[in-house]
Amino acid sequence: MSRPLTRASLRPATAALATLAAVLGCSSPSGTSPSMDASDGDGITASGGVSGSGGTTASGGASGSGGTTASGGRPGSGGARPAGGASGSGGTTASGGASGSGGTPGSAGAGGCTPDYACKPTAPSTGDYYADCVARVNQFRACVCLPPLARWTEGESCADMDAAYDPSHSAHAGFVAGICSPEGNAQDECPGYSSETQVVSLCIQQMFDEGPPPTADCTGDCYQMHGHYINMTNTRYTKIACGIATVSGKVTAVQDLQ
């Protein structure tokens, strides 16, 4: 499959979440957890930084805590180059994936399934991050009447490498640079979280909470707002590889979709 055109990233914060979406950039989620690209999340940002408390900013780098980011695909396949890195702590980022596909408002699945965009299922907690991460994404796909993604074990080693590489560079840096393979066609990222549990329970929930885009053609500012949701509900993907790394006491996690 071709490289993604857009990406997104999130971060957790102890006070609130911030959302940042920029073509090949990153942002932070909102909420009340200590770290996610959302560590302690405060506010929502459109392309860059999260405000200190609840506010939204149009541009700039993500703050030390909180926020989610959306960023496009790798150079050479339609995606713009990254704009903005993940903040030091918190947030999730999404990268890749065709915009506007999957989980549009009002759509019903097979068998009369009615999408639930306010879905808040209990997060799995088996002690196996890789299995729990896949199961968590599939919980939300089920919420909007989509089939589950298969666990892509062949991509997990590369996903781990991206998670270890990005904290000293920027969200999606490893994915964009192609530091390993197989990379997948899209990537969501949770940089700077406090624990694996927080990544699974908070970060991925925050991605889903972005909700479906208002139109099928969702690019630019629209993708910045809905990029993570778009990636995780994209009907073109059939499998997912989760990766994770702890750098300087903070957990960064990625989800590569193929």
Side-chain angles (χ1 to χ4, degrees), residues 129-130 156 159-161 163-164 195-196 199 242-246 251-254:
Y129 162 75
Y130 301 92
E156 289 176 353
D160 283 342
M161 292 178 67
S195 66
E196 294 180 2
V199 167
C242 294
I244 196 162
T246 300
V251 175
T252 291
V254 304

Side-chain angles (χ1 to χ4, degrees), residues 156-210:
E156 289 176 353
S157 176
C158 185
D160 283 342
M161 292 178 67
D162 281 347
Y165 180 88
D166 288 357
S168 59
H169 296 82
S170 63
H172 308 300
F175 182 89
V176 173
I179 64 170
C180 56
S181 65
E183 280 277 20
N185 296 307
Q187 184 180 82
D188 287 347
E189 183 166 350
C190 305
Y193 281 72
S194 63
S195 66
E196 294 180 2
T197 299
Q198 189 184 50
V199 167
V200 174
S201 63
L202 175 61
C203 180
I204 299 176
Q205 174 76 61
Q206 290 173 319
M207 291 180 177
F208 179 78
D209 287 347
E210 290 176 358

Side-chain angles (χ1 to χ4, degrees), residues 17-20 30 42-59 225:
L17 280 179
T19 336
L20 165 61
S30 52
D42 287 306
I44 296 179
T45 70
S47 72
V50 174
S51 65
S53 65
T56 62
T57 67
S59 65
M225 295 293 293

